[in-house]
Amino acid sequence: MGLLGKQKPVYVVLRTLVALLLALIIGGIVIYVAEFNPLQAYKLIFKGAFGSVNAILTTLSYATPLLFTGLAFTFAQRGGVMNLGTEGQLFVGAIVAALIGGYLPPLPRIFFVPLILLISALAAGLYGALAACLHIRFGANLVILTLMCNYVAQLFCGYLTNGPLVDDQGIARTAKLPPQAQIGKLVSGHHLSASILLGAALVIGVWYLLGHTRFGYRLHFMGTNPLSAETAGIPTKKLMILTMLLSGMLAGLCGATQVMGVQYRFTDGFSSGYGFEGIAVSALAAGSPVMVFFSAVLWGGLKSGASAVNRIAALPMDVISIIQAFIVIFMVAPELMDALCKPIAKAFPSHKAEKGGADE
């Protein structure tokens, strides 16, 4: 089975740790060439990511949007659907949240926040489903479609915030959301949004849906063998559209929660590439919804720690990007990782129980 297919949890963790170790070794060489002490740099990165309560909260803040986009890509990939449009879908979710929350008369918060989240997610999901419909109806390449949809969504949102929705100060951003449309902070005095709780709940929900329901079985069947699935009576075309709809909804929640819990308005260029980083987070999680949470925290920790080190020791942020890139490179090389991980797995008594995951 491919990298992002269903694998034994312990083996997934092992592959992730080995990929991380290899990436850190190569990153250490790069850091040394850049005339920094690798061990000292990694110590500072870890301290900046997990060395204090504030550091942990900052790491979780970085990880929150990646939870949604990582889940979005993982969900689609389970059905064999390559959704590379998560960046555009989160932009749709974000602009819809800003329009509803900032320009419509507010309702009581207990109703308004869930309503905005639901409508924003549906709008993003329909945008994702549109690409699937075009693929099915006209045979257009889904990868190219979803990639191009990113540019359409980003540029259209840029037009709105630089034109009709520009604020009174001439800044490319929408009106500020009223308190009734805002998601509160998880910790007072820190910018970590309570939306991380929604992300964690979705991790559990997606895990259950994919692994313990008839829908999840059908999706997995379609992802591994679409021709056999269609022969068995599974409506693969409808299932593909539904998959893109739900995947787009997850991505849209990323944009909506950033607007409602962090920015409190839509600002042009608010995303640092959360959609594309979510693809890397999903690859690091090897297709496991539960591992997406830990992968997002690791990814957020690297970003948080690198920012701290950059302020202290002037270590270039590009070095961390190199480490992140090598983590993904190793994770998407299944034969290499299996060659490295299988001997390690055999050294443990539980190997027989996990052998199926290693051999898949």
Side-chain angles (χ1 to χ4, degrees):
M1 185 179 293
L3 168 66
L4 297 178
K6 187 177 181 181
Q7 299 174 1
K8 296 294 182 180
V10 174
Y11 192 72
V12 170
V13 173
L14 177 62
R15 291 181 62 157
T16 301
L17 292 176
V18 171
L20 176 62
L21 177 61
L22 292 174
L24 289 176
I25 292 173
I26 295 177
I29 296 173
V30 175
I31 293 173
Y32 181 78
V33 172
E35 299 182 348
F36 290 90
N37 185 323
L39 295 179
Q40 184 66 20
Y42 285 144
K43 180 180 177 180
L44 291 174
I45 290 173
F46 182 84
K47 184 177 180 181
F50 306 104
S52 66
V53 173
N54 185 68
I56 293 173
L57 292 177
T58 302
T59 292
L60 293 176
S61 179
Y62 276 110
T64 300
L66 304 181
L67 270 177
F68 295 98
T69 54
L71 278 177
F73 187 82
T74 297
F75 187 90
Q77 183 67 24
R78 181 61 65 91
V81 181
M82 190 68 67
N83 181 15
L84 299 185
T86 49
E87 184 75 7
Q89 291 150 19
L90 75 85
F91 264 78
V92 172
I95 195 66
V96 171
L99 290 173
I100 298 174
Y103 296 94
L104 293 182
L107 299 172
R109 188 175 184 180
I110 193 172
F111 301 113
F112 206 33
V113 168
L115 180 64
I116 297 172
L117 289 173
L118 177 61
I119 297 176
S120 301
L122 282 174
L126 290 172
Y127 190 63
L130 174 63
C133 291
L134 293 174
H135 167 70
I136 292 170
R137 177 64 180 84
F138 300 105
N141 187 291
L142 187 60
V143 172
I144 295 176
L145 272 175
T146 51
L147 280 175
M148 293 300 102
C149 283
N150 290 330
Y151 294 104
V152 173
Q154 289 175 287
L155 294 173
F156 182 68
C157 290
Y159 158 73
L160 291 177
T161 51
N162 284 279
L165 302 181
V166 67
D167 73 355
D168 297 335
Q169 299 176 346
I171 302 176
R173 61 187 186 184
T174 62
K176 187 175 181 179
L177 272 61
Q180 297 93 327
Q182 296 178 10
I183 297 175
K185 300 300 183 183
L186 189 63
V187 178
S188 178
H190 197 277
H191 57 273
L192 175 63
S193 167
S195 56
I196 190 173
L197 300 179
L198 174 61
L202 286 172
V203 166
I204 298 173
V206 171
W207 165 78
Y208 181 82
L209 182 65
L210 294 181
H212 299 82
T213 66
R214 182 181 180 186
F215 173 81
Y217 169 77
R218 286 188 167 196
L219 194 65
H220 176 67
F221 193 9
M222 183 180 75
T224 54
N225 198 327
L227 292 178
S228 295
E230 192 167 355
T231 303
I234 296 176
T236 55
K237 293 180 180 179
K238 291 182 180 179
L239 191 56
M240 177 182 289
I241 294 173
L242 181 58
T243 299
M244 282 295 292
L245 173 71
L246 295 176
S247 176
M249 289 179 68
L250 290 169
L253 284 173
C254 171
T257 52
Q258 286 297 295
V259 167
M260 299 168 66
V262 180
Q263 307 282 343
Y264 297 134
R265 64 176 84 224
F266 183 98
T267 304
D268 190 25
F270 78 97
S271 173
S272 60
Y274 299 134
F276 296 110
E277 286 184 296
I279 297 173
V281 166
S282 177
L284 182 57
S288 168
V290 174
M291 282 297 295
V292 166
F293 180 87
F294 299 101
S295 177
V297 171
L298 174 61
W299 210 260
L302 285 173
K303 295 176 67 175
S304 174
S307 297
V309 174
N310 185 256
R311 293 191 299 268
I312 298 172
L315 180 70
M317 290 289 290
D318 292 341
V319 173
I320 301 303
S321 298
I322 292 173
I323 294 173
Q324 290 175 326
F326 272 108
I327 292 174
V328 177
I329 288 172
F330 287 126
M331 287 299 295
V332 298
E335 293 185 5
L336 172 63
M337 297 308 299
D338 283 340
L340 294 172
C341 294
K342 284 181 180 179
I344 299 175
K346 289 178 180 179
F348 294 91
S350 60
H351 168 65
K352 291 184 179 180
E354 301 299 332
K355 186 176 180 180
D359 292 338
E360 286 183 342

